[in-house]
Amino acid sequence: PELLVRWYQLSIFMSVMRVHSTETEVPHFPWLWGPDAEHAMRKAVNLRYRFIPMLYSLAHRQYDSLEPMFRPLAYYWPHDVRSAAATDQWLVGSSVMVAPMLSVFPPWRQVYFPPGKWYRLGVAGESAEEGPTTVTLNSLPLDEVPLYARAGAIVPLGPVVQSTAQLPEGPLEVQVYGGA
């Protein structure tokens, strides 16, 4: 179930999130894969709902100005060879970097931080990584997705809901990352 969890986490940051299964396999419902996998998949889906305000804004910007929602690192650092080689991590908009675990073995991954200061998203008080540098993440907990906010990022987050129909038209949580 760990690889399925990692795929759930990957799909959070795709324009369309769908989790399919076939008639001959165990369905990909979180509760069918044990309590640890269920918790991690539920946490991933809840994170997706929290990102909906940002994703909607980015989708509108893509429609209006053709600026892509999801961008390779080379989009902002075209002369950085390591940014061009980073094919398993990307930016959501201009300020949130996603570096998902894409496999079970090895149980670690390297994350490349382009030039600038990068903070763990949603982790207050943690020191920032100063790029360019590469960091190895060892034994990442099953319910964690490596997410980083670029210095100066403003990240709007909605509440946890069970469907987009429940998204309120009211206050959002706004996380601001200093240092730009």
Side-chain angles (χ1 to χ4, degrees):
E2 185 175 341
L3 187 57
L4 178 60
V5 169
R6 298 304 186 189
W7 288 343
Y8 260 78
Q9 294 166 343
L10 165 74
S11 68
I12 296 169
F13 298 101
M14 298 288 165
S15 54
V16 175
M17 181 183 182
R18 294 200 178 149
V19 182
H20 295 285
S21 52
T22 66
E23 290 181 18
T24 59
E25 300 295 326
V26 175
H28 294 160
F29 302 128
W31 58 88
L32 295 177
W33 295 92
D36 292 341
E38 177 184 2
H39 167 75
M41 287 186 257
R42 183 179 310 278
K43 188 173 174 183
V45 171
N46 287 343
L47 184 60
R48 169 67 177 208
Y49 279 116
R50 296 212 61 213
F51 265 90
I52 291 289
M54 183 177 183
L55 295 175
Y56 275 17
S57 295
L58 290 169
H60 179 74
R61 182 177 293 157
Q62 181 171 309
Y63 165 79
D64 197 46
S65 66
L66 301 179
E67 191 174 352
M69 293 174 62
F70 308 104
R71 305 159 192 181
L73 301 184
Y75 188 87
Y76 290 104
W77 298 276
H79 303 294
D80 180 8
V81 174
R82 290 183 290 177
S83 287
T87 59
D88 61 351
Q89 58 188 86
W90 61 92
L91 293 167
V92 178
S94 63
S95 58
V96 174
M97 184 172 68
V98 182
M101 295 288 289
L102 299 178
S103 65
V104 177
F105 300 106
W108 53 270
R109 74 155 290 147
Q110 291 190 318
V111 177
Y112 173 66
F113 293 92
K117 191 177 279 190
W118 296 88
Y119 299 92
R120 284 284 309 272
L121 191 85
V123 182
E126 189 172 288
S127 62
E129 295 293 341
E130 188 70 45
T133 191
T134 300
V135 173
T136 300
L137 302 179
N138 290 305
S139 63
L140 191 69
L142 187 60
D143 67 344
E144 274 190 40
V145 182
L147 296 174
Y148 302 91
R150 195 173 175 181
I154 298 173
V155 181
L157 297 171
V160 173
V161 294
Q162 297 302 302
S163 91
T164 54
Q166 294 177 336
L167 286 171
E169 293 181 16
L172 299 174
E173 176 185 328
V174 177
Q175 294 183 1
V176 179
Y177 296 85

